[in-house]
Amino acid sequence: MRVRFTRLTIVNRLLAPYGLSAYDDGATPGLQLFAPTGERVLVPDMEALWREAGRLVKSAIDPLSDRALGRS
Amino acid sequence: MAAAEIARRGDGRLPLVIVSGFLGAGKSTWLRHQIHKGRFGRAHMIVNEAAETPVDDLLLSNAESLEVLAGGCVCCAGRQALRSSLVMLCNNLDRVTGPTIERVVLETSGLADAGAIAHAISRDPMLSHRLAIEETIVLVDATSGGDQIVNEPLARSQVEAAGVIVVTKPGAADRERRSAVAATLRNIAPEAVISWAEFGAPVEADFDADAKPLTHSPDAVRLEPIRPYRLNIRDASWVGMSAWLSAVLVARGDDIMRVKGVMRTPAGRLLLQSVRKHVQPAEILPELPLAADQSTDQDNFLVLIGRGIDGDRLAESWRKFVLSPG
């Protein structure tokens, strides 16, 4: 459980600059991804999470980008 | 006559085999099989990894003796380490009277220029008296090797230095691709002996001997060199690191050829690797005896090998998202 919480913390740090957030209810496998519009998507794994998040904000979730690093 | 003397060439020099090839060409797989089959006799293996992480050596434990040079690529940053290692080896052999090694086999990193290594050894006044380069074997991936040779100057240099070329994974390429790779190799290294291998074992491959060689793609002109980037794991968590890495690979996977990491955890040493864009499940590595001068950072880091990555940006992202306390 602690491991899932740690993962979720890092995931949310990465999603925050894009206005997205993720939630792990600890029961179902995978994560729930929330868009600012209220849209909610259940994703099975990390790779799917980043792809789905990129689709929701129409821009790749790139940890090296200006947006992620707060440079812009 | 002592075995040490039998083993050496008529001129008393110890044979050195250089095994090279681009990232992912299958060097360790091929070597593991060949050593198992006894191709190199009683060989002293030297494994070099540009990524500074001694991981591939685990695959090669069948060699007579094994040494890992993980302090950078031996054709440039780690050249002095290779020289020191070879000098020490030659000096030790002088004191041995019983059975000893027959040759040295050097597996270079995927970023090394085998020609530059051979040149450096032949110009070294001491090593050139003690070692004779027996053969330079270069491995080329049948599926991606053709494009690499024409578009990556390093991959081309490796092939140019080859006396023996082994094309790996022919079964994963169609006949057209195999034919194109063979023609390209023949064009660049006309003197080299070319053979095919699957999982390290020699195989016959069907190809068109009259195919045209591949040509340089104009899109590849601006390609930046491939470099290793090292990140210290410090107290980062395994899951946090994996999460960040998966995001980086989804966004930048085309530019990142390889990721390897070794992490100390209470459960032991964990190996993290990516194959193309996918993070593999962690594997537990056997414990290595650590020398007294090895800090934990040497056994606790992540390396990305890729191109066009801003090292400062990478380090900043790593600090911001992975290392910062929760």
Side-chain angles (χ1 to χ4, degrees):
Chain A
M1 196 61 219
R2 192 167 157 269
V3 164
R4 292 179 72 154
F5 178 76
T6 307
R7 181 178 73 168
L8 189 66
T9 305
I10 306 270
V11 165
N12 274 320
R13 270 186 207 166
L14 285 158
L15 290 175
Y18 299 87
L20 298 169
S21 63
Y23 177 69
D24 184 345
D25 65 12
T28 42
L31 294 167
Q32 297 173 61
L33 180 63
F34 293 92
T37 54
E39 199 176 339
R40 192 185 73 163
V41 190
L42 186 66
V43 290
D45 55 40
M46 284 290 110
E47 210 174 303
L49 173 93
W50 305 121
R51 293 196 192 286
E52 192 56 37
R55 191 189 64 78
L56 287 172
V57 297
K58 298 181 178 59
S59 143
I61 308 298
D62 180 357
L64 309 186
S65 64
D66 283 343
R67 187 167 177 181
L69 295 175
R71 290 185 180 187
S72 57
Chain B
M1 188 187 284
E5 291 167 60
I6 301 169
R8 299 196 194 179
R9 298 156 43 99
D11 60 8
R13 293 190 294 167
L14 186 67
L16 170 69
V17 175
I18 299 175
V19 178
S20 182
F22 207 65
L23 294 164
K27 294 182 288 295
S28 294
T29 302
W30 184 82
L31 261 175
R32 178 164 45 166
H33 186 83
Q34 297 297 323
I35 286 170
H36 179 69
K37 289 286 175 189
R39 172 176 178 135
F40 298 112
R42 290 191 312 278
H44 176 76
M45 283 288 315
I46 300 178
V47 180
N48 171 234
E49 294 209 48
E52 302 189 26
T53 168
V55 168
D56 282 351
D57 56 310
L58 297 164
L59 306 175
L60 294 167
S61 46
N62 259 329
E64 185 77 13
S65 53
L66 178 76
E67 183 177 354
V68 178
L69 292 178
C73 178
V74 288
C75 77
C76 37
R79 188 181 285 183
Q80 193 53 41
L82 174 65
R83 183 181 189 278
S84 307
S85 161
L86 290 172
V87 167
M88 194 183 297
L89 178 71
C90 291
N91 289 340
N92 286 343
L93 285 178
D94 287 345
R95 294 197 289 270
V96 173
T97 51
T100 182
I101 58 163
E102 294 170 72
R103 59 178 47 74
V104 181
V105 177
L106 168 65
E107 180 193 346
T108 73
S109 85
L111 300 179
D113 179 349
I117 294 169
H119 184 64
I121 289 170
S122 64
R123 269 189 12 178
D124 186 292
M126 179 178 169
L127 290 178
S128 59
H129 278 92
R130 312 298 301 274
L131 295 168
I133 294 168
E134 186 174 43
E135 53 184 345
T136 301
I137 304 171
V138 173
L139 275 67
V140 175
D141 182 329
T143 56
S144 57
D147 293 330
Q148 286 163 356
I149 295 160
V150 291
N151 293 324
E152 303 275 359
L154 172 65
R156 188 187 170 101
S157 299
Q158 288 173 343
V159 168
E160 285 170 345
V164 174
I165 295 173
V166 180
V167 187
T168 59
K169 313 171 200 173
D174 58 20
R175 187 171 188 271
E176 189 184 354
R177 194 162 276 273
R178 286 196 299 269
S179 306
V181 170
T184 309
L185 292 170
R186 179 62 59 223
N187 189 37
I188 293 173
E191 302 299 319
V193 178
I194 300 175
S195 63
W196 307 78
E198 201 73 70
F199 299 107
V203 291
E204 294 295 322
D206 171 43
F207 65 97
D208 174 7
D210 297 322
K212 285 200 162 47
L214 294 165
T215 52
H216 178 70
S217 154
D219 294 342
V221 173
R222 297 179 309 278
L223 288 184
E224 293 177 49
I226 297 169
R227 287 186 42 205
Y229 301 86
R230 180 186 161 113
L231 299 165
N232 285 329
I233 290 177
R234 302 224 170 86
D235 54 357
S237 72
W238 177 265
V239 284
M241 180 173 79
S242 306
W244 176 84
L245 186 59
S246 66
V248 171
L249 287 173
V250 167
R252 307 253 175 166
D254 289 337
D255 295 329
I256 297 174
M257 281 70 190
R258 200 158 188 197
V259 178
K260 271 186 182 179
V262 178
M263 182 175 193
R264 288 217 153 267
T265 73
R269 296 164 76 232
L270 288 184
L271 168 66
L272 179 79
Q273 287 203 80
S274 78
V275 173
R276 290 184 215 96
K277 300 183 187 182
H278 309 290
V279 182
Q280 302 295 295
E283 291 171 49
I284 296 182
L285 292 173
E287 285 299 323
L288 283 182
L290 278 181
D293 60 346
Q294 278 182 298
S295 72
T296 50
D297 270 357
Q298 279 179 291
D299 201 26
N300 205 26
F301 58 87
L302 185 69
V303 169
L304 283 79
I305 299 179
R307 67 154 48 91
I309 296 167
D310 179 336
D312 293 340
R313 216 172 249 274
L314 187 72
E316 184 184 339
S317 179
W318 176 250
R319 277 195 306 274
K320 179 180 166 96
F321 295 113
V322 188
L323 293 184
S324 303

